[in-house]
Amino acid sequence: MSKLDRRQFLTCAAAISGAALIPGTLRANDDGRLDLLIRGGKVLDPGQKLQGRYDIGIRWGRIVRVEPTIPLETAKHVIDAGGNLVVPGLVDLHTHVYPLGSALGLPADELTPYTATTTYVSAGDAGANNFGAFRHHVMGATRSRMFAFIHISRIGLAGFPVGEELNIDYLDVDAAAKCLAENSDVALGIKVRISRNVVGDNGLEPLRRALVAAEAAGTGARVMCHIGDAPGNLSTLLDMLRPGDILTHSYSGAGNNVVQNGKLLPAALAAKQRGVIIDVGHGGGSFDYTIAEPAIDQGLMPDTISSDIHALSGNSPGMPYLPWVMSKFLNLGLSIEQVVALATSAPAGVINRVDKLGTLQTGAPADVSVLELIEEPVEFVDTRNNRRSGTRWLKPLHTVRAGVAFGRPYPMPFNYP
Ligand SMILES: [Zn+2]
């Protein structure tokens, strides 16, 4: 056996890598079939204004074909959508998905059967002190796509139920800005909670610090501001939000609401008109029909529908799972196209990190949700025990993330090839 010296080895290696560049001399062991075909569904993709009977072909984690009929034999695996709605993978802008790290976090992947959500945005579960662990141990170990708002408080929600902004010394602008700048690929901005029981005597100072940190990061970061029994004049708070910032729990009825004495605050409408994003963030205590209905009537439509799902809210009667929250808005008079847009293309646009996220265009990430629109009498309850009856609701059926379905059949290696 001849022994290769270093020079011979390098020559040989160069020959091999050179050969790979000559078409036809080295092939991937791949027959070109689709990895997954989602057939027979009613596609509803508001991001490209596409609606109708289409099959979706997926290969190597991307959507590659959207056609009226794609032959079965061109695919390795098939999901029969059976006439149900096929929509872009749902995007939830307000979730709590830091299990064991924040006091109310849930594991995103385990929520999938109830949420049909493929993209979760952590709304301040972690602050500067514990964001590194969230990024490496949670984001890195989760199939669902994840982004985050970094809490202005160093401890994020680790101290829950003790308010993380009661001690103003936790609200370190430089630490938050540095953490944001270092993680700008996944960190969208700064989260702050403005409720009396969270801020104590600190008033709006946490929001001021959040705004300074977002600016200081230099990444075009947004501030996501939670309201619900905020101290002081709510209009003062609303006036502080910049275009692109996010108001979450917009329809909260916890006190100091956007609707006061039956009238929408002019500052709330002005905020929407200058580009502040009106987010739902239903949660366990933050969605009140008696606020949402007059607010929407008077012009404060939501820009994004989010759930605020967490370990406490998930067990509350309002059941803030994203398709259920979408169903509430469907029965408030929004169209199916609107509610799907507000939970796909709209929040994906706010995230603005992944090309074509929130759509089913060819080339888009193969994140897809299949939902059944069930037409039957249904009753909903908000977080303040107000009930509304409706006529239809959305039920999750299948969730596909990067071309691989959650649940059975199991992904590689168990279903090889
Ligand atoms: Zn929340």
Side-chain angles (χ1 to χ4, degrees):
M1 189 164 96
S2 67
K3 211 168 151 192
L4 287 178
D5 67 13
R6 179 171 164 76
R7 181 185 301 252
Q8 285 170 318
F9 174 78
L10 290 176
T11 308
C12 187
I16 291 167
S17 63
L21 298 175
I22 300 167
T25 57
L26 184 64
R27 290 176 190 277
N29 185 22
D30 176 72
D31 61 9
R33 283 188 298 165
L34 298 170
D35 294 316
L36 182 65
L37 168 60
I38 302 174
R39 67 190 294 268
K42 284 184 214 153
V43 167
L44 176 50
D45 183 10
Q48 58 171 332
K49 296 190 166 43
L50 182 71
Q51 195 165 357
R53 165 70 178 76
Y54 290 96
D55 291 350
I56 306 279
I58 291 167
R59 190 171 136 79
W60 293 10
R62 300 216 164 255
I63 292 170
V64 294
R65 295 173 70 179
V66 181
E67 297 165 18
T69 308
I70 299 175
L72 275 178
E73 62 274 15
T74 60
K76 295 175 193 167
H77 298 285
V78 177
I79 288 177
D80 184 353
N84 292 297
L85 282 176
V86 175
V87 304
L90 300 183
V91 179
D92 195 339
L93 203 56
H94 186 155
T95 69
H96 294 283
V97 283
Y98 189 177
L100 312 177
S102 87
L104 36 65
L106 292 171
D109 291 348
E110 290 185 29
L111 287 168
T112 304
Y114 315 102
T115 63
T117 295
T118 53
T119 299
Y120 293 84
V121 179
S122 161
D125 291 294
N129 284 18
N130 48 6
F131 189 80
F134 176 64
R135 172 162 196 155
H136 293 286
H137 302 308
V138 177
M139 283 187 167
T142 302
R143 278 180 62 201
S144 304
R145 196 182 291 279
M146 297 181 100
F147 296 94
F149 286 87
I150 295 168
H151 208 299
I152 187 61
S153 176
R154 279 179 171 277
I155 61 173
L157 296 176
F160 187 90
V162 179
E164 69 278 5
E165 296 160 9
L166 292 173
N167 183 342
I168 200 71
D169 294 340
Y170 281 139
L171 282 65
D172 183 325
V173 166
D174 290 344
K178 178 169 184 284
C179 186
L180 190 51
E182 288 173 348
N183 294 282
S184 62
D185 54 335
V186 292
L188 310 178
I190 298 289
K191 176 75 188 294
V192 62
R193 297 205 297 153
I194 305 293
S195 287
R196 258 175 246 275
N197 64 342
V198 178
V199 301
D201 296 331
N202 293 320
L204 297 180
E205 179 61 15
L207 175 55
R208 281 185 209 102
R209 292 192 183 195
L211 289 160
V212 174
E215 301 260 346
T219 57
R222 303 172 189 273
V223 167
M224 176 185 268
C225 181
H226 141 140
I227 56 167
D229 196 24
N233 184 337
L234 186 61
S235 299
T236 306
L237 178 157
L238 292 166
D239 287 345
M240 289 168 71
L241 299 177
R242 308 162 303 165
D245 287 338
I246 299 160
L247 182 72
T248 192
H249 308 322
S250 297
Y251 308 115
S252 168
N256 210 358
N257 309 318
V258 295
V259 172
Q260 300 186 5
N261 303 316
K263 290 262 184 293
L264 179 65
L265 293 179
L269 196 56
K272 181 175 171 73
Q273 286 166 348
R274 75 174 171 274
V276 172
I277 291 150
I278 305 301
D279 180 54
V280 173
H282 184 298
S286 304
F287 179 73
D288 187 329
Y289 275 118
T290 70
I291 302 300
E293 289 160 344
I296 290 170
D297 283 349
Q298 294 171 51
L300 198 72
M301 274 280 287
D303 294 304
T304 50
I305 296 178
S306 68
S307 70
D308 190 19
I309 183 72
H310 54 73
L312 301 177
S313 69
N315 286 319
S316 67
M319 296 195 294
Y321 298 91
L322 189 53
W324 191 246
V325 180
M326 292 163 71
S327 302
K328 291 183 182 182
F329 281 86
L330 197 52
N331 287 281
L332 277 171
L334 276 67
S335 68
I336 185 70
E337 294 83 0
Q338 281 175 304
V339 300
V340 171
L342 296 181
T344 57
S345 52
V350 173
I351 292 170
N352 195 25
R353 292 292 191 282
V354 180
D355 192 30
K356 297 183 177 177
L357 183 68
T359 78
L360 298 174
Q361 297 171 48
T362 55
D367 296 359
V368 186
S369 302
V370 183
L371 306 170
E372 183 177 4
L373 181 59
I374 297 181
E375 313 233 353
E376 65 179 17
V378 56
E379 184 159 277
F380 301 101
V381 59
D382 65 10
T383 62
R384 301 183 67 77
N385 210 27
N386 298 300
R387 291 172 190 278
R388 296 290 184 273
S389 52
T391 57
R392 47 190 190 156
W393 62 284
L394 290 164
K395 177 183 178 182
L397 293 181
H398 301 284
T399 309
V400 173
R401 161 76 178 101
V404 180
F406 278 88
R408 293 178 185 177
Y410 292 114
M412 286 273 280
F414 304 107
N415 69 344
Y416 189 81

